[in-house]
Amino acid sequence: MESQVRGGTRWKRFAVVMVPSVAAAACVGVGLAQGALAASFSVSGQQFKVTASHLHGDGFAQYGGLDNVYTSPEGKDKKRVPVAISSFTDATIKNMCQSVATPIPLIGKTVYLRLEAGNSKPVEAHNLYIDVAQLDADAEFKNIDIGVAVQDKTRGPEVKDKSVLPGGFAQQAESADLYGVKQTAWATTAGTFKLSGLSMRLGMDKNMECY
């Protein structure tokens, strides 16, 4: 597919990566109403926070999806939430922090899990998918195409769910660079995920959250 948008593009707080742009959000909303988006897999009822000083990804694609989120501790009830599925063929992440807060009703406390990696050597990932609810970052793209049909995209790993209907909205780029990343996500999956300098801590101090 021949792109109609070429060259590097840099917009502060531009949410085309991991959160749809204004135009993309409208298309995703229409797709959800028509049932035209992919259904993703089941995830826990908790979102987690991620920060990074720099994420570089080669082979980027993004499309709308739905995650089945558990809404009861027993794991019986679910709801479907819209997500922006961002995918990278290969990615490196510097100064990555991931945190999740888990309320413990029995003790009336919240336990925080904090994971850090990539401080001296970047985290490396192959076939990386991130199901994102919110993102803030400075972003730069190389050879970006916005408004590509999902089945016609030529960049990024294969579509996460085979049930995407023809004509679904997608966007893609040869590469993407995100700086000062702050995001909230439901799930992350990867073919390989190499975390250099991994550090993991548990505690009850709210300051353990990444942001």
Side-chain angles (χ1 to χ4, degrees):
M1 176 178 177
E2 184 65 23
S3 170
Q4 296 179 354
V5 183
R6 284 289 178 257
T9 306
R10 184 177 177 85
W11 295 287
K12 185 174 178 61
R13 303 296 185 190
F14 184 56
V16 72
V17 174
M18 300 186 187
V19 177
S21 63
V22 174
C27 293
V28 169
V30 171
L32 285 171
Q34 296 175 343
L37 296 181
S40 185
F41 48 81
S42 296
V43 299
S44 77
Q46 296 172 262
Q47 295 179 334
F48 56 92
K49 296 179 178 180
V50 180
T51 61
S53 61
H54 180 206
L55 184 156
H56 172 80
D58 292 315
F60 161 75
Q62 182 194 65
Y63 44 93
L66 293 170
D67 276 355
N68 297 307
V69 177
Y70 285 101
T71 58
S72 64
E74 299 81 11
K76 296 179 180 179
D77 301 318
K78 296 180 185 179
K79 67 177 180 179
R80 306 184 85 187
V81 297
V83 293
I85 301 174
S86 296
S87 60
F88 303 87
T89 302
D90 291 289
T92 57
I93 308 169
K94 294 181 179 178
N95 301 313
M96 187 189 79
C97 173
Q98 177 178 305
S99 64
V100 61
T102 304
I104 309 296
L106 291 177
I107 61 174
K109 300 284 187 178
T110 297
V111 175
Y112 299 92
L113 169 66
R114 181 185 176 102
L115 180 153
E116 294 178 278
N119 295 325
S120 57
K121 184 179 180 181
V123 170
E124 300 176 7
H126 178 66
N127 285 346
L128 174 67
Y129 300 85
I130 309 173
D131 294 6
V132 175
Q134 180 180 347
L135 170 90
D136 291 307
D138 293 335
E140 183 175 355
F141 307 94
K142 182 178 180 182
N143 294 336
I144 186 170
D145 300 310
I146 301 174
V148 181
V150 173
Q151 75 275 16
D152 290 334
K153 78 175 189 67
T154 57
R155 303 191 186 281
E158 66 179 62
V159 175
K160 190 174 182 179
D161 193 292
K162 299 297 186 181
S163 67
V164 174
L165 298 182
F169 187 93
Q171 42 206 1
Q172 62 179 3
E174 182 178 331
S175 65
D177 286 277
L178 282 75
Y179 302 91
V181 177
K182 288 184 178 180
Q183 71 176 24
T184 303
W186 286 106
T188 297
T189 58
T192 58
F193 205 53
K194 184 177 180 180
L195 296 98
S196 300
L198 173 64
S199 171
M200 186 175 68
R201 292 182 292 144
L202 282 168
M204 296 184 182
D205 185 353
K206 193 177 188 307
N207 292 325
M208 290 182 62
E209 288 193 290
C210 296
Y211 67 92

